[in-house]
Amino acid sequence: MVAIDTNQLGWLEILGLREPRDGEWKLVRSAQLRELSRNSLLPVVAVLLATLSSASLFWNSVPGEMMAVWLIILFVALISIVSARRTNLARTGGARRSDVMRAVANCTILGLFWSIPPLFFAQYGNMEQIITIAAFSLALMGATALMLNVVPLAGIMLNGLIGISLSVMLFNQGLTLLSALTFSYGLCLTFTMLINGRSVIGRLRNDIALAEQREVVKLMLRQENSAESDWLWQVDARKCIIEPSQRFAAAASMDVATLEGMPLLDLLAGSGWREEALSDEIRELLKKMQAGRTFSEFMLPVQIGDEQRWWKISGTPRLSANRHVIGYRGVIADVTEREAIERRIYHMAHFDALTGLPNRAYTNDLLRDRIADAAANSRYCAFLMIDLDRFKAINDTSGHPIGDKLLEQVAERLKGLLQPGDKCGRLGGDEFAMIIANYRSSEHLDKRAREIIVRLSEGYTVEDQLLHIGASVGSAVYPKDGGTAAALLRKADLALYRAKGSGRGTHSPYEPVLLHAAEERRAIESALREAIEKGELHLVYQPVVTLASREIAGFEALLRWTSPTLGEVPPEKFIPIAEETRLIDPIGEWVFREACSEAATWPERYRLAVNLSAGQLRNPRLSDAIVSALSRSGLAPTRLELETTEAILSSDSEQAIQTFEQLRGLGVTMALDDFGTGYSTLGFIGRTSFNSIKIDRRFIRDAETGSKSSIAIIRAVIAMADSLGIATIAEGIENDQQYAIAEQLGVAQVQGYFLDRPMDGEGVLDRIGTLPGKAVA
């Protein structure tokens, strides 16, 4: 800022009645008002003291209405003055002319207030009271001239009104000479305030100019004392560089002469910036400079030769006397190395190290941003959760390095399927996600999902190996399925769970029934964890009958659960949950203890069959638990038969075989349940030496309807079992026709509701006791 000589300003400019043609008047006005508010305390206190004295002096003389109006005027004036004082003391920027006029108006009101005693109260008073009013008025005029000359017009208005009213009072009292002297005294104070006001304004302008000069010195000192990566920069009104330093030139890889006069944008954005689109950072910086605004630590990417650097630039406008921007000056710091470190840290925190895709946390952030954008534009978006099928098998057989390279190729294929606005990320392991920015319809979403499944299911070549995997997709749509990222994530996960459960390689959109099923599952899991301790589990036993003798050969133990809150929970609902949560292990051990203890009370000719899930075979304590149950109950191992399904072949058949061999070593017999519904092979059956095979009830039902294929399968199974010395059991016999078919086809044993419903322990004892050794059919 250029300092001016205040002697060149006219009296109208000094009084604030006319705008000067030069100068930082907004800043000067702000400084005037701040100093006026600091100096106004003494005059206001003086007015209050004079008011209290005058009120007490004239309380019984002046009419009550006049006194009330006088005090009301003071109250209004004080409210306005206090409000303005608080505002002025808090000012940090410039002030308008209207702000100064408000201060003048407040002083005018105060002057009018004190004009009332000389003009109206004096006629009710004696000479002593009149002299008192005169003394107060003269004291107020002196205090005003001393403290309010920072805004001359305000002091003149307050001083003038008091002086004129005092002169009129003295003249009315016949004291003409004193009236003239008072008027002359007021004129002298007015002239004094004008002279002092001009000096104060000059001082304030010089303070502002010195503050700017101190800022320049501070910038220069910063350049001298800072690291080598900082330097001072300066441009003229055309935004061309002026007076570049050697440090500036070295940072720009130019000499000082070349840098002198170069447009700053040529250096920051390249010489072709006029023909090319500016970057968002350069555009924002240009906007600030065109508006004449100060900016601090603005980050910019700058191309210096063949290298991209990062500069942090701060600047403040240089202003002429008439407030025109004549240039900019500031400091630039080269923060390339620090920016590189911060970007690496940011990338590590937000992106997956293997695939380069957004990680789970950042994918959540991207989804939140997409939801906010969709909400602002009344649009839909969708979230797809993608799980790779058969990836674990490749990872286990080929090794993790091969699996990692396969995941990298999966990521590249997903990126190739993105459309404008879409994002994809890796949620962890072999689970990925895609955010669909422009959801059109459920058909369009299903098409996109199927494209993902088809593309990810194509062959991969990794280190000369041809690998094949698949993909399952679950989806959720905003706002139909949820209004937050967390809601869409949860519901897409539920949909993916159904897609994987329905055979994999499919797309399943979210439906409300999935949430109900998930909540039911969570309730079952929560209650199941306490079911053993609370005694909610119990066993029932279903007889197995030998067709040849029509006698009961044994009983199959069946687990039942009665929950106080959920009621009767079917095994097909809680057993899978128990397997997933590994609650099957403690539950299975309890079943063995209870069943063996119960069977130990039966005659020795009756066998006990206990179901064994595939999940239990992974329990390393299984053999110990069975041995413990047998030893505690005293049940002979040969009376215990373990039933398992063909599902064990889908997980780890070798481990199942090893477990079987350990149990067979104890003398326990084995049965294959639900034969023909899954993965069974003759080789597996031969290797594991099953003692019996249970033919699934579906084949019996189909044979009842005359299905030739089912009858042929049953006969083939019986023939195979007979050749291997394995007994056959037909389960699910529900009527006499099915019973007859099983007998005709040569099944060894049968069980089902037609023969007997499952019964508790007491029912078994009654059944054995009432019909010992007799036929049941």
Side-chain angles (χ1 to χ4, degrees), residues 148-164:
L148 301 186
N149 53 31
V150 66
V151 181
L153 184 59
I156 289 172
M157 292 301 297
L158 178 58
N159 196 300
L161 289 171
I162 295 175
I164 290 173

Side-chain angles (χ1 to χ4, degrees), residues 474-632:
S475 65
V477 177
Y478 168 87
K480 179 173 69 71
D481 298 327
T484 65
L488 292 187
L489 277 164
R490 181 188 180 196
K491 293 176 179 179
D493 188 42
L494 293 174
L496 176 62
Y497 184 80
R498 183 173 70 173
K500 292 190 294 185
S502 61
R504 301 180 180 272
T506 61
H507 165 230
S508 175
Y510 170 77
E511 296 176 359
V513 67
L514 298 179
L515 182 59
H516 174 74
E519 292 173 346
E520 181 185 44
R521 182 188 181 282
R522 186 171 60 250
I524 290 174
E525 178 184 342
S526 177
L528 189 58
R529 292 185 180 277
E530 301 176 348
I532 297 178
E533 295 180 3
K534 292 183 177 180
E536 298 172 6
L537 299 178
H538 63 279
L539 296 176
V540 293
Y541 304 89
Q542 188 170 44
V544 178
V545 176
T546 302
L547 283 174
S549 63
R550 303 295 199 272
E551 293 183 349
I552 296 175
F555 295 85
E556 179 184 358
L558 303 174
L559 180 62
R560 297 292 184 263
W561 176 28
T562 304
S563 169
T565 56
L566 303 176
E568 295 286 343
V569 185
E572 58 269 21
K573 278 193 174 183
F574 72 83
I575 292 296
I577 295 174
E579 290 184 349
E580 291 177 19
T581 58
R582 300 307 305 164
L583 291 173
I584 194 65
D585 294 333
I587 290 176
E589 293 175 11
W590 177 86
V591 169
F592 281 118
R593 291 194 303 269
E594 291 294 315
C596 290
S597 296
E598 190 71 42
T601 65
W602 305 340
E604 292 185 0
R605 65 177 179 273
Y606 296 110
R607 298 170 57 82
L608 169 68
V610 178
N611 286 293
L612 194 65
S613 72
Q616 287 175 277
L617 292 173
R618 294 192 294 269
N619 181 8
R621 299 178 57 248
L622 177 61
S623 298
D624 295 338
I626 294 176
V627 171
S628 174
L630 291 171
S631 62
R632 289 178 58 181

Side-chain angles (χ1 to χ4, degrees), residues 381-404:
C381 66
F383 180 74
L384 305 183
M385 192 171 288
I386 306 159
D387 185 78
L388 302 182
D389 301 332
R390 302 184 300 279
F391 173 77
K392 183 179 183 301
I394 292 177
N395 217 25
D396 292 341
T397 57
S398 300
H400 290 283
I402 297 295
D404 289 347

